[in-house]
Every structure is written in structure tokens, then in C-alpha cells.
Amino acid sequence: MKHESQNQHRVLLSKESYGLLLLLLSAVLYSVAGVLVKLAANTGLSSSELVLLRAIFQATIVVTCMCLYKTDNGVRLIRQPFGNDARVIKIVIVRGIVGGLGFCLYFYTISVLPLGDATALISLKPVPAIFLGRIWLGEPITPLHVVVTITSVVGSILIAQPSFLFASQHASASIGHVTGLLGACCAAGVVTLIRKAGSIGAHTLQLLFSWAFFGILFSTISLVYTSFQLPSSTTSWIYVVGMSVIGSMAHFLLNYAGQLAPASLSSVVRSSDLMFAYIWEIFIFSTIPNSWTWMGVGFISLSLIMITVQKIKEHQNKQQQQQQQQQQSCIKRKFSSDMMLQSDNEEEDDDTVMTAMDDCDTLLKDEHKLELQQRVDVENLKSQATVRTSNGDRYFQVAKSDDPLS
């Protein structure tokens, strides 16, 4: 029991907090992958070509892992790429369709807009995610969810600075803003579907395979009307390989951690990649952010801080409850042990009393037997005395009759 108690205290993060932390790491990796996408696009590669190359790279890794991995029933996962249940297959396929379409929109947006603006538009996904989580998953909409969603959206708008609110230098790239908003809706759907898939037992590799399959499909369809070209320089290949490796790592973390945390909070944490994206844009693309941008970054940071504080409070409350339960359990065990000890003592006392009573009975029986024996002996003595007296009288009478003087 002591060992279990120590193991419970070693758990520093709850499952939801652990998932959110992994999502934050995923956001950092996504921002780095976004930089590489932007650099690869500057070498002349289209968004469809980037999606296709990334999907082929990820599909190769995922298929290899699925060939090696076996389920609990001993079946290799590659034989069930979309799941082994009709319900799981449906969710995994829909996740692949929405995710593949969303990535095409994301890559196009990030190739025609400044990195921070494109990331900010797609980071609007907490708005639809909070409602999709309520409708599809039954997750409650708490005041915290509403506040952090509004804060995140305000921050995203301040960073994106759309032309209808701010004087923008990129008004001609309005199609990029449209695809960015559509990509945000797809991203919200992906987060919700990942959470749903996790609740019904879908494997992370199945989710990754589904995205790779439909990513290849959609990018191939879009390339039918254009000519496909491979990277033409070593630098371009470095960008593509780096984008594929880091993007696949970020994608794995998203699909794994998204099953652990609520969809609304997951989308907010996932949106934090725009802060890191603007840092990269400052150092790599020499973009000078204005005061609105810094205010937007501040709002996004505030939303993350509120989530962190709330999770810390929940973790502390959970630890207090566990400590109270342990204390109550200790009190119950102590009370139970005292009762058992008292019961054992009472049983020992009862045994002592019974032994004493048995000894008394034995002693009384022995005394009674002795008394009876003594009475028998007395009676025997009396009988012997009577017999002797009788014999003596008889002898005296005989002797008298033989007396010649009589």
C-alpha cells in the first residue's frame, strides 16, 4: 500500500495536462515546419507538391510501423489500416478526408501569405472547435473555454491584421485569407475527430495513415491540372526533408495528444504556434512586427497562461482529494485493525475464561469423586466392623456352650 501511495505522488501531470503539454510541443514543431514550408515555397515548389511530398514521406514511415506493430489479438496493424470496427473506420476515414483537405488549404495559405498571417488565420480554429466539441463529443462549454477562446481569437486577429480592420500590405492576397479561414474550420474538425477517435479505440497510426492516404489523393488530384516537379536544388531538398521530418513529428504528437485533452482546449494550445511563427519570421524573414502584433502575441500568451493556471489548480485539487481519500483510507484501516485486535483480545479472554471454567469443573469433579470415594471407604469400614462384631459374638456364644462348667 505504501508503494502504491508513493507511485501516486510521483504522477506530476494528469492525462489532460500531459496531452496539452504535448500539444504545445507540437505547436512549436509546427511553427518550425511552417518556416521550412515557406522556404521551400520560395524555391518554386507549389503547395500541392509540398503536400504530396510530405504525405509520401509520412506514409512510408507509418506503413513501416504498421507492418511491425501487432495488436493485442496478434494481428499486424497494416491489415487494419482504417480500424477493425465499422464505427472506428468511419471516424478514421472522415478524419483523413478533413485532415487532407485542411493540409492542402494550410500549405496554400502559408505559401501566399506571410507566415504569421497564415498561421494566425488557421489559429482561429478554437471558435468552431468549442461548438464541435459540444455537439459531437458532449464536452461542456465552461467559462474558462469561452474566455480563452475569445482571448485567442482576439490575439489572432491582432496578429493577422486583416484588410477590413487594418491597413494591410497584402490586400491582393485575399484568396489566401479565404483558404486560411477554411483551413481553420478543417483544423477544428480534425481536433474534434481525433478526440472522438481516441474515445472509441482508434490507434494513432491509423489516424496518421488515413491523413497520408487522403493527403496523397487530394494533392494528386490538384496536380492533374499542373505539371509536377521535384525539388531542383540541394537547398530545396533540405527544406522538403526538414519539413517532412519535423512536420511528421508534430503530426504524430497532434494525433496522439489530441486524444487525451478536450477539443476546445486542444485547439487553443495548438494555436500557440503563431507566437513561435512570428519569432521565426522576425529572425529569418526580417519581418518587423508592429504594436498590434505584439498585443496579439500577448493575448495568445494570456490564453495559454489561463489554461496553465486552471490545470495547476485542478491538479492541486485532485492531489488534495487523493490525500483526503488516503487519510480516510488510513483511518479506516487503523480502525479496522484496532477492531480486529480488540476482537482477538476478546477471543483470548473468552478462551481464558473457558479454560478456567473447565479447570474449575475438573477440580469440582475431582473433589466430588474424592468425596464419594471417601464415603465408600467409610461404608466399607463400617461393613467390615459389623462383620467382625458379628463374628466375635458368634465365637463367644460357641465357646460358652462348650464350657464344661456351664
Side-chain angles (χ1 to χ4, degrees):
M1 297 300 293
K2 183 183 293 184
H3 182 67
E4 294 178 358
S5 176
Q6 291 176 352
N7 289 336
Q8 290 177 354
H9 286 294
R10 291 176 184 173
V11 179
L12 300 178
L13 295 174
S14 64
K15 183 173 70 173
E16 289 187 4
S17 300
Y18 179 65
L20 293 173
L21 182 61
L22 292 180
L23 285 170
L24 182 61
L25 178 59
S26 173
V28 176
L29 295 176
Y30 266 121
S31 67
V32 176
V35 172
L36 297 172
V37 170
K38 185 72 175 179
L39 293 172
N42 291 340
T43 63
L45 295 174
S46 66
S47 59
S48 298
E49 291 168 343
L50 293 174
V51 172
L52 180 60
L53 293 172
R54 157 73 189 283
I56 291 175
F57 177 85
Q58 181 168 313
T60 303
I61 296 177
V62 171
V63 170
T64 302
C65 294
M66 295 180 77
C67 290
L68 299 175
Y69 182 84
K70 290 184 179 181
T71 63
D72 296 336
N73 298 328
V75 180
R76 296 192 182 276
L77 200 60
I78 191 61
R79 299 183 63 181
Q80 303 170 349
F82 295 104
N84 59 347
D85 179 78
R87 188 182 178 192
V88 174
I89 293 174
K90 179 180 177 181
I91 295 297
V92 171
I93 290 178
V94 174
R95 183 262 178 271
I97 295 173
V98 176
L101 179 60
F103 254 80
C104 290
L105 294 170
Y106 169 72
F107 274 47
Y108 177 80
T109 303
I110 209 169
S111 64
V112 299
L113 291 181
L115 179 60
D117 292 357
T119 308
L121 286 172
I122 297 174
S123 297
L124 294 173
K125 58 181 169 289
V127 177
I130 192 174
F131 296 105
L132 291 177
R134 176 62 179 174
I135 296 172
W136 287 356
L137 305 177
E139 295 179 350
I141 301 177
T142 65
L144 174 67
H145 295 169
V146 175
V147 172
V148 297
T149 299
I150 294 175
T151 306
S152 178
V153 169
V154 171
S156 300
I157 293 175
L158 291 175
I159 291 176
Q161 299 175 25
S163 57
F164 58 88
L165 292 177
F166 299 86
S168 176
Q169 300 177 3
H170 310 285
S172 59
S174 58
I175 185 64
H177 292 87
V178 174
T179 56
L181 292 174
L182 292 176
C185 295
C186 289
V190 166
V191 172
T192 308
L193 288 168
I194 290 174
R195 177 69 167 171
K196 182 67 175 180
S199 65
I200 60 177
H203 197 277
T204 302
L205 291 175
Q206 293 170 337
L207 297 174
L208 295 174
F209 176 83
S210 180
W211 174 87
F213 177 85
F214 288 101
I216 293 173
L217 178 63
F218 291 145
S219 59
T220 303
I221 292 174
S222 63
L223 287 171
V224 171
Y225 302 99
T226 60
S227 60
F228 175 76
Q229 63 177 1
L230 291 172
S232 57
S233 64
T234 303
T235 302
S236 181
W237 272 112
I238 292 174
Y239 293 152
V240 170
V241 173
M243 169 201 73
S244 300
V245 173
I246 297 177
S248 297
M249 293 170 59
H251 202 196
F252 172 80
L253 290 175
L254 171 65
N255 284 269
Y256 175 76
Q259 302 178 49
L260 306 178
S264 56
L265 296 182
S266 297
S267 60
V268 172
V269 175
R270 173 67 180 81
S271 300
S272 64
D273 59 351
L274 65 91
M275 294 188 302
F276 307 104
Y278 255 105
I279 294 175
W280 310 138
E281 188 154 320
I282 292 171
F283 290 101
I284 297 176
F285 300 106
S286 300
T287 300
I288 301 176
N290 54 30
S291 58
W292 294 112
T293 300
W294 289 118
M295 290 179 61
V297 171
F299 273 96
I300 297 295
S301 301
L302 180 61
S303 65
L304 294 177
I305 292 172
M306 286 189 290
I307 293 175
T308 302
V309 171
Q310 179 64 25
K311 288 302 174 182
I312 291 175
K313 289 182 178 179
E314 290 180 358
H315 184 63
Q316 290 176 346
N317 293 334
K318 186 175 181 179
Q319 281 188 330
Q320 291 178 356
Q321 292 177 356
Q322 290 178 349
Q323 289 177 355
Q324 291 177 355
Q325 291 177 355
Q326 290 176 357
Q327 290 176 355
Q328 292 177 356
S329 178
C330 290
I331 293 173
K332 290 180 179 179
R333 289 198 300 268
K334 184 177 180 181
F335 177 76
S336 177
S337 62
D338 291 342
M339 291 297 294
M340 293 177 63
L341 181 60
Q342 183 178 358
S343 176
D344 292 340
N345 292 334
E346 290 178 353
E347 291 179 358
E348 291 179 358
D349 294 340
D350 292 342
D351 293 339
T352 304
V353 172
M354 293 297 296
T355 303
M357 291 178 65
D358 291 340
D359 293 340
C360 291
D361 290 340
T362 303
L363 182 60
L364 290 173
K365 290 179 180 179
D366 292 340
E367 291 181 351
H368 183 64
K369 288 181 180 179
L370 181 60
E371 183 179 357
L372 290 177
Q373 186 65 36
Q374 289 176 349
R375 289 181 180 178
V376 170
D377 292 341
V378 171
E379 293 295 330
N380 290 334
L381 290 173
K382 289 181 178 180
S383 298
Q384 292 177 3
T386 303
V387 171
R388 288 177 181 177
T389 304
S390 173
N391 292 333
D393 292 342
R394 183 182 305 170
Y395 175 78
F396 179 74
Q397 292 176 358
V398 172
K400 185 178 180 180
S401 62
D402 295 335
D403 189 1
L405 297 178
S406 57

